[in-house]
Amino acid sequence: KAVMPEAEKYGIKLALHPDDPPIARLGDVERIMISADNIEHAVRDIYPSANLGFTFCQATYYMMGEDLEKLIPRFADKIMFVHFRNAVGNKYNFRETFHDNGDLDMPGLMSLYHRWGIDVPVRVDHVPTMAGEKLQNAGYDALGRLYAIGYLRGIIETVER
């Protein structure tokens, strides 16, 4: 409530990111951004603003147990940024995968974003380290990200056609 009036004054948009992993407690820290309902409450009820939305970190929403095919249309007007990421498992036991090798239908998700007119920045997120690459920045090493960017670009070109 204190930040948003200033953000609005300067045309700044804020995109909340869900807690990752979406579990109620991590160590000694209580977490609240762990469900679609909680996040919707934050961006629609606490401070309604066209400048307040969220980052749709699709693997995190999947780990919450959410149905992404229903969630994307529900939140289409509040998605301000997409973390294009894939994983397998659940919020208690998961591993991030290459974008073409997880539980999520990445081309299907991109089709949904396109169908619902979600035209926001998309960033490939969290990739495994590839063979021969030194682990320097876990989840963000260069070769895995380059692979993911190429995969994302191919999906976007296909969906747009």
Side-chain angles (χ1 to χ4, degrees):
K1 290 179 181 179
V3 171
M4 284 310 302
E6 291 301 309
E8 290 169 334
K9 188 186 317 181
Y10 296 100
I12 296 168
K13 293 187 176 190
L14 297 178
L16 302 177
H17 192 290
D19 287 319
D20 185 13
I23 55 178
R25 186 173 191 81
L26 188 61
D28 291 332
V29 178
E30 297 282 338
R31 304 165 91 210
I32 58 173
M33 303 298 267
I34 59 171
S35 72
D37 288 341
N38 287 6
I39 293 165
E40 184 168 37
H41 176 63
V43 300
R44 292 198 199 278
D45 302 331
I46 293 175
Y47 192 92
S49 171
N51 288 41
L52 180 60
F54 54 85
T55 297
F56 197 79
C57 185
Q58 56 191 34
T60 302
Y61 284 96
Y62 172 73
M63 293 300 158
M64 290 175 189
E66 299 289 350
D67 180 340
L68 301 184
E69 290 185 12
K70 292 179 181 174
L71 204 59
I72 290 170
R74 174 179 161 190
F75 286 165
D77 66 319
K78 286 294 185 178
I79 296 173
M80 295 184 168
F81 192 68
V82 173
H83 280 176
F84 203 67
R85 166 181 161 206
N86 210 340
V88 296
N90 60 54
K91 62 184 165 185
Y92 301 109
N93 183 17
F94 68 92
R95 82 182 153 77
E96 293 163 330
T97 66
F98 286 106
H99 290 73
D100 61 343
N101 192 30
D103 290 343
L104 301 178
D105 173 9
M106 304 299 264
L109 291 172
M110 189 55 67
S111 291
L112 275 172
Y113 297 131
H114 184 71
R115 186 175 323 132
W116 285 94
I118 300 168
D119 186 14
V120 299
V122 178
R123 177 174 70 101
V124 297
D125 198 25
H126 302 209
V127 295
T129 302
M130 295 186 77
E133 192 170 28
K134 267 180 142 177
L135 179 63
Q136 299 209 359
N137 192 8
Y140 297 96
D141 287 318
L143 295 179
R145 288 183 65 75
L146 288 172
Y147 178 82
I149 290 167
Y151 180 72
L152 171 61
R153 189 69 199 135
I155 291 172
I156 290 171
E157 287 181 7
T158 300
V159 166
E160 287 177 348
R161 288 190 176 143

